[in-house]
Amino acid sequence: MKSSQIIKIVLLALPILLLVYVMFIRDRLDAASGIGGGGYDLTKMYTLIGVGLYLLVLNLFFLIQTASGNRLLLMIGVITLICTIVMAIRNF
């Protein structure tokens, strides 16, 4: 496997791991308030917006570079972007 493929896989795995941590693991580990202080926890909102923008740019990068060579990575990126949009709609 080429080093460029490994880098692309890592770049695609980072937002997935971040979403799993923020959405599922963080609430079970720590019950303290997050970003924004007070009674509102805005961590999920900022995370979903940031990850959504990151995935949009990453998918555009995969399309511009070579869509046929990055077909599997592009498909995983689009599925992750759709899941992020669905989670954002459900959380807002």
Side-chain angles (χ1 to χ4, degrees):
M1 186 177 284
K2 296 181 185 177
S3 62
S4 63
Q5 284 294 104
I6 293 172
I7 291 171
K8 290 176 189 175
I9 291 171
V10 168
L11 287 175
L12 192 58
L14 286 175
I16 295 170
L17 293 174
L18 182 66
L19 283 175
V20 167
Y21 173 73
V22 169
M23 295 298 168
F24 302 114
I25 298 173
R26 188 183 66 89
D27 289 337
R28 287 171 177 70
L29 294 178
D30 187 23
S33 63
I35 299 172
Y40 298 108
D41 186 12
L42 303 175
T43 306
K44 289 183 181 180
M45 181 181 71
Y46 287 132
T47 302
L48 288 170
I49 291 171
V51 168
L53 290 174
Y54 174 81
L55 285 170
L56 183 66
V57 170
L58 187 65
N59 286 331
L60 289 174
F61 172 74
F62 287 157
L63 275 174
I64 291 171
Q65 193 176 20
T66 52
S68 61
N70 296 324
R71 185 174 295 144
L72 182 62
L73 295 172
L74 188 59
M75 187 170 48
I76 293 170
V78 168
I79 291 170
T80 308
L81 182 62
I82 291 170
C83 291
T84 303
I85 292 169
V86 169
M87 284 191 295
I89 290 171
R90 294 188 77 201
N91 279 319
F92 298 148

